[in-house]
Amino acid sequence: MSELLIKNVKPYGEGDPVDVLVRDTRIADIGTGLTASDDAEVIEGNGQILLPGFVDLHTHLREPGREDTETIETGSAAAALGGYTAVFAMANTSPVADSVVITDHVWRRGQEVGLVDVFPVGAVTVGLQGKQLAEMGTMAAGVGRVRMFSDDGVCVDDPLIMRRALEYANSLGVLIAQHAEEPRLTRNAIAHEGPNAARLGLHGWPRAAEESIVARDALLARDANARVHICHASTAGTVELVKWAKSQGISITAEVTPHHLLLDDSRLETYDAVNKVNPPLRESTDVAALRQALADGVIDCVATDHAPHAEQDKCCEFAAARPGMLGLETALSIIVQTMVRPGLLDWRGVAKVMSEKPAAIVGLDDHGRPIAVGEPANLTLIDPDAEWTVRGAELASISNNTPFEDMTFPAEVTATVLRGRVTAREGKAVGI
Ligand code: DOR
Ligand code: ZN
């Protein structure tokens, strides 16, 4: 039997500090003045905030295929350092995760690394080509038990394929997550369509490309009596559409990224491709609407869209650069800056949008659970008073493409616990 005693912490940032005793994989006791066996590991919490471990529905780990930019191991370390105990690894790898061979590999490798539960996302269509449904049932029945499918990176744009995918997913009890982008409206697009892109001579990506797919998929989900999840919502119009769909009783959920909650298209001024991302950074009015929607529950959760890229794919002309930015290690701090500090969310709210709701959306039993006796010990300890400055080279990811370089943020993850084992502590991932 192994014991871990986390002393002097405030669950959900509420009330007086307590001790939390973990025995093996579960929380055994919560109270004051708790003691543990002599060989127990002890974390001195100093009044810091204890939350359930975070769950990221949208992570690109690049394995298999681009291990020069990230691996399941390095991405898992980044996740643990960011306070995550579960991440969903997107299917746009090389080869694409459109078969059980790949999805089972991702699951097994994640378990072998042991820093975070890596849940594989299966592709909706073979090769992300949008033409033929992948064998979702086989992937769902595999060791990796795939419960979310997405062609993320590209949109399932054919409405008939999307309709069939939703029907099929419904019968399997799995979730389809859509990268909402009507490709005929975004050909050659590299930046949000608006005054900034026009002035800078960057080809525009109109809001309607996202919103038209969100509206369409809401209707398809209604008719199929299925659930649909919208990846990285980026516009005020998407917020209105999701709100409408929910008001109709449609089973729709949506996520927002930390970067869309913090940055807008004024960042394009320098032509630095570190700011290139898909969907693009929008306008300040969109940012304000996204923050409010997350506070109101119209947008259900935060997801990072952690997207590592090699230097040669980012440090080049804007049009040629790949879209995407790192996200796992900066997510919590950005949520504190954009949501907690302005009074839009309290710590219980942070637990909801970063842990409980994402776990519920995909139906995880052991993550996003309450901090209570008998529950799995998947936990994140946060120093709310810390400040830190982001340096890409110091992050655990192999790639350095963070748009937050040199920015100073509030709040720091000081420890992460996965099933009773400390996976990160004071800025270092702790391997098995
Ligand atoms: O910016 C993005 N990067 N958006 C996506 O949809 C895909 C991702 C990637 O894989 O790099
Ligand atoms: Zn995407």
Side-chain angles (χ1 to χ4, degrees):
M1 185 186 71
S2 71
E3 284 189 337
L4 167 69
L5 182 59
I6 312 171
K7 292 171 82 164
N8 212 7
V9 292
K10 291 185 182 170
Y12 307 101
E14 295 167 359
D16 293 327
V18 293
D19 302 336
V20 175
L21 178 65
V22 174
R23 230 173 247 144
D24 293 328
T25 62
R26 291 183 179 269
I27 298 172
D29 203 357
I30 300 176
T32 50
L34 298 187
T35 54
S37 57
D38 289 348
D39 55 355
E41 183 168 359
V42 178
I43 295 178
E44 185 45 69
N46 297 317
Q48 293 178 14
I49 293 165
L50 193 67
L51 297 185
F54 302 148
V55 177
D56 189 10
L57 295 183
H58 195 142
T59 313
H60 297 274
L61 294 183
R62 306 299 188 216
E63 183 179 341
R66 285 306 302 266
E67 291 87 349
D68 58 318
T69 63
E70 195 79 291
T71 63
I72 290 170
E73 184 170 16
T74 58
S76 292
L81 289 165
Y84 288 90
T85 52
V87 300
F88 281 74
M90 277 297 174
N92 64 338
T93 48
S94 179
V96 169
D98 58 5
S99 72
V100 70
V101 178
I102 309 287
T103 55
D104 278 1
H105 164 76
V106 170
W107 167 256
R108 285 204 181 97
R109 182 69 193 127
Q111 290 303 294
E112 214 170 86
V113 171
L115 290 169
V116 61
D117 285 340
V118 178
F119 293 99
V121 177
V124 177
T125 67
V126 174
L128 308 180
Q129 295 298 305
K131 301 274 188 270
Q132 187 189 343
L133 288 183
E135 289 192 12
M136 289 160 52
T138 321
M139 288 186 266
V143 179
R145 285 193 53 205
V146 179
R147 57 198 90 208
M148 178 159 113
F149 291 85
S150 181
D151 276 4
D152 181 66
V154 290
C155 183
V156 181
D157 63 321
D158 182 327
L160 187 56
I161 297 280
M162 185 61 178
R163 179 188 169 126
R164 289 197 181 124
L166 288 167
E167 288 168 354
Y168 195 16
N170 197 16
S171 66
L172 289 169
V174 297
L175 181 69
I176 302 283
Q178 176 70 293
H179 168 116
E181 174 183 354
E182 168 50 70
R184 278 149 292 205
L185 289 173
T186 61
R187 202 160 291 149
N188 301 322
I190 50 179
H192 166 65
E193 182 185 83
N196 277 333
R199 191 167 41 79
L200 297 166
L202 300 171
H203 197 97
W205 197 131
R207 291 187 182 92
E210 175 170 311
E211 294 156 359
S212 57
I213 296 292
V214 172
R216 183 201 77 177
D217 287 359
L219 300 175
L220 292 176
R222 179 193 66 190
D223 290 356
N225 204 14
R227 299 189 303 141
V228 68
H229 179 74
I230 303 299
C231 296
H232 41 51
S234 75
T235 77
T238 290
V239 168
E240 287 309 309
L241 289 163
V242 171
K243 193 170 173 179
W244 172 82
K246 287 184 171 182
S247 78
Q248 301 298 300
I250 296 169
S251 296
I252 190 167
T253 52
E255 63 186 38
V256 63
T257 70
H259 49 267
H260 287 111
L261 290 169
L262 181 67
L263 306 175
D264 62 36
D265 70 345
S266 63
R267 297 270 305 197
L268 301 177
E269 209 68 41
T270 60
Y271 290 99
D272 187 341
V274 79
N275 297 306
K276 183 174 175 182
V277 66
N278 195 9
L281 301 178
R282 302 284 183 188
E283 297 180 31
S284 55
T285 45
D286 298 287
V287 172
L290 292 168
R291 288 185 188 186
Q292 196 57 51
L294 185 63
D296 295 344
V298 173
I299 290 179
D300 300 81
C301 67
V302 172
T304 66
D305 198 1
H306 177 83
H309 285 296
E311 192 152 329
Q312 69 268 25
D313 293 324
K314 283 307 250 185
C315 300
C316 54
E317 62 178 295
F318 204 89
R322 300 220 176 155
M325 33 184 74
L326 300 183
L328 286 167
E329 290 175 76
T330 45
L332 184 264
S333 288
I334 293 171
I335 296 312
V336 173
Q337 170 129 331
T338 58
M339 302 296 295
V340 179
R341 291 280 162 93
L344 289 165
L345 279 184
D346 58 13
W347 289 103
R348 212 167 255 279
V350 174
K352 258 202 190 93
V353 300
M354 293 190 72
S355 177
E356 293 164 8
K357 286 214 194 164
I361 287 169
V362 278
L364 299 183
D365 299 330
D366 287 353
H367 292 272
R369 300 289 309 163
I371 299 172
V373 172
E375 294 288 351
N378 295 322
L379 301 163
T380 301
L381 187 61
I382 296 157
D383 180 353
D385 302 320
E387 280 204 338
W388 66 291
T389 302
V390 179
R391 310 258 186 244
E394 291 170 12
L395 299 174
S397 283
I398 295 173
S399 302
N400 293 337
N401 54 306
T402 174
F404 310 117
E405 184 75 24
D406 290 332
M407 290 172 84
T408 298
F409 289 119
E412 205 164 29
V413 172
T414 54
T416 308
V417 176
L418 173 65
R419 282 186 289 282
R421 201 181 78 75
V422 176
T423 52
R425 196 165 173 183
E426 274 143 27
K428 289 207 165 44
V430 187
I432 294 178

